[in-house]
Amino acid sequence: MTIQADKVVASIITIGDELLIGQTIDTNSAWMAQQLNAMGIWVHRRVAIGDVREAILEALDREGAVSDIVLITGGLGPTADDITKPVLCEYFGGKLVRDEATYLQVMEFFESRGLPTLQRNVDQSLVPDVATVLHNTRGTAPGMWFEKDEKIYVSMPGVPHEMKGLMSDHVLPRLQEYFQTPAIVHQTLLTSGMGESFIAERLTHFEASLPPHIKLAYLPSYGLLKLRLTAFGADKLSTAAALSIYFHQMKELLADITVTDEDLPMGEVLGKLLKEKGKTVGTAESCTGGFIAHNITLVPGSSAWYKGSVVSYANEIKSGLLGVKQETLQANGAVSEAVVREMARGALQQLKTDYIIAVSGIMGPDGGTPEKPVGTVWIAAGSAKELVTVKHQLRYDRLNNIQMTATYAMNELRKLIV
Amino acid sequence: MTIQADKVVASIITIGDELLIGQTIDTNSAWMAQQLNAMGIWVHRRVAIGDVREAILEALDREGAVSDIVLITGGLGPTADDITKPVLCEYFGGKLVRDEATYLQVMEFFESRGLPTLQRNVDQSLVPDVATVLHNTRGTAPGMWFEKDEKIYVSMPGVPHEMKGLMSDHVLPRLQEYFQTPAIVHQTLLTSGMGESFIAERLTHFEASLPPHIKLAYLPSYGLLKLRLTAFGADKLSTAAALSIYFHQMKELLADITVTDEDLPMGEVLGKLLKEKGKTVGTAESCTGGFIAHNITLVPGSSAWYKGSVVSYANEIKSGLLGVKQETLQANGAVSEAVVREMARGALQQLKTDYIIAVSGIMGPDGGTPEKPVGTVWIAAGSAKELVTVKHQLRYDRLNNIQMTATYAMNELRKLIV
């Protein structure tokens, strides 16, 4: 059945106390939303509730009233705190019956590992008879698809890997068939070096010229600023084309501060550039403790442009492995332009890469002095031929300082290469 | 005014499309919830909505009806998509007036940077006259505290650093005064090596013996499993004492698979152990690309036990910096027990630490072969005296595989040291 719709909207309900108490960060919702947007489905609400029967029933009512699609994650495990399935059974007026395919899979899962199959796991193969079972190849809890009053409700495990499998294999294709979705298109520009309000001033006319179906949003991101244009339209091709025209205008207005016109993490932006140029990079990290290397290697295929790093957290490693001179350390201190230059040169020799990024700083919360307060960081980026050095004064907590240093450092190398 | 309450509950409303489309992960809510729980305030609902007037008004109504406290983040910036303040003004029936202290701060913020002060920034010093201004020392948008029908509503910027400042400086102390809160106490046990349903079987009697005000939750976490006991009670001391008794019982039942009885990340667990023993560690990482070093250095003060790392992503770095023999690489391949042993030995010599962690594997999605499929990883952990090697076969996506490898590797060293 295909539904004609102007705008197809979805709610995401996450069930689980671990999210509410802050023990776990919700990454599932972000991933689901990106997939849904790509299909033209707008996520307009997200609700996190506990493993509480009344809260689940109320949320199903509420979200079903305002959305075409309700995606529910969590509470499908084999332990006593997992109540989602019986509550869904109650809500949709069904009774639990065994799904043979799931039952066989559960049995096989445990037998193949030489483990006994417990009743609580066998019970994971029970599903409400009013549901369509969505087969979970990555775990023992099946997904469940319900239809009521022309709305779609889908229940999935909260384990990210399992949820993604069910979404990709079953949910997204079925939603594609069920709804005739309009298009949602995003384009994001990443900028550096100008504050949000000043960029907004520069874009005043541009923003006023945007038609009602195109929106501009401002998003600070680790020392940089993202500007996102979003367009809604009937079909993807023409909507994307219309958006491109406005995006191009915005790019021209902000050409001097643009980092990239793709919504990619800095490690990926740098990687694509190095791959395009056929060059290699390494890092010599002190205060960032390997975080820059991690960002670079998050990108599949990075072995083509990234060779390795020396994390010289202690000064003896700066000397021992990177050849930083004792006199330089003593005269200037570890957090200095002189030391970060020697780290870069030493690392170029050891790693034999075309380019290097070196950082040395104080990420906090302790370790600051009056001359070098917490947040002081020196960055060196470049090659044997040309090395750029920059000093930043950061003002955040330890992890934020590390993240911002990494972003600034990778951006310095990007600017030099381009 | 102090309110007597059995249970004080809060809702968190996050305003902003960037969360709904999945461009940003919500880390604010988790942090806020931890702070609130520590004060005895239970976060029972969390709602994410867009920068949409009707959605904001509806959420304020809805959450105010079911909670004592409503915390709102987002939408207070200087750009056109930021509408939270005027909507709050409408909801609480006030009118916008200039707050002198904020106005002076905004002026000073820009003048001290040699920048002009734009009208849109001056407007950030306007606040509804019915609100109490909460002074934001970390940014230009003030926090706002509203009271209505004995409920508290607090609006804060979405920028994590600014939100945290306002919460710590103003919101939490004021909530402490306003509500006489009961206690919420959590204790978490981290386990490794036994599946969730088997642990649940072992705990069947124990779980049945829990009183109504103490709950047990199961939480998979990067290849390990967390078991969290949560107790609600009148005062913190006696509630914590009662919980301890049950937690101790659970620990005894799971002694053989316990990793730690503190809810800390593995990097911190390992760091505390090394600090206690006065020992140092380094890492030799291939596939994890610096992620283990990053986990270790996230902990403030880690320079006391962590010296440095070699990220030997390319084989020439394994040989060149870690002395891994060409013959070993050729005979066994980079992902092998022999190579990871040589990486460990070479790194011990270079870094001169007491302990070492070395990893080599294939994180995916590409790079697998029939003999060594994606997810194959070898770990070596130990000292010059004793080196343990372990092989894992992981089955997730690139980042998850990296995270799980790091957790397993740090846990191997932890087990060896203990």
Side-chain angles (χ1 to χ4, degrees), chain A residues 1-50:
Chain A
M1 173 186 180
T2 308
I3 308 274
Q4 186 80 17
D6 279 353
K7 200 171 179 183
V8 182
V9 292
S11 292
I12 296 175
I13 301 174
T14 58
I15 297 172
D17 282 356
E18 69 276 9
L19 290 174
L20 292 177
I21 72 165
Q23 194 171 30
T24 304
I25 303 289
D26 178 10
T27 54
N28 282 344
S29 298
W31 185 90
M32 284 194 278
Q34 289 173 7
Q35 306 301 310
L36 292 165
N37 276 200
M39 279 182 57
I41 295 169
W42 181 251
V43 177
H44 72 138
R45 286 174 59 79
R46 203 165 82 197
V47 185
I49 53 178

Side-chain angles (χ1 to χ4, degrees), chain B residues 291-319:
Chain B
F291 189 66
I292 300 175
H294 168 58
N295 270 256
I296 293 173
T297 56
L298 262 179
V299 185
S302 46
S303 54
W305 59 84
Y306 169 77
K307 297 295 163 200
S309 297
V310 173
V311 180
S312 52
Y313 214 63
N315 284 352
E316 56 257 42
I317 308 294
K318 292 181 182 72
S319 313

Side-chain angles (χ1 to χ4, degrees), chain A residues 246-302:
Chain A
Y246 287 97
F247 190 68
H248 188 78
Q249 286 178 21
M250 191 172 75
K251 273 176 67 174
E252 294 206 313
L253 289 166
L254 304 176
D256 54 328
I257 56 170
T258 293
V259 172
T260 172
D261 61 4
E262 293 182 277
D263 192 13
L264 299 171
M266 188 61 88
E268 203 166 332
V269 174
L270 184 62
K272 287 179 75 165
L273 186 59
L274 289 162
K275 182 175 181 178
E276 192 191 310
K277 305 269 180 189
K279 300 287 186 186
T280 59
V281 71
T283 76
E285 303 182 46
S286 188
C287 56
T288 41
F291 189 66
I292 301 174
H294 168 58
N295 270 254
I296 293 173
T297 55
L298 262 178
V299 185
S302 46

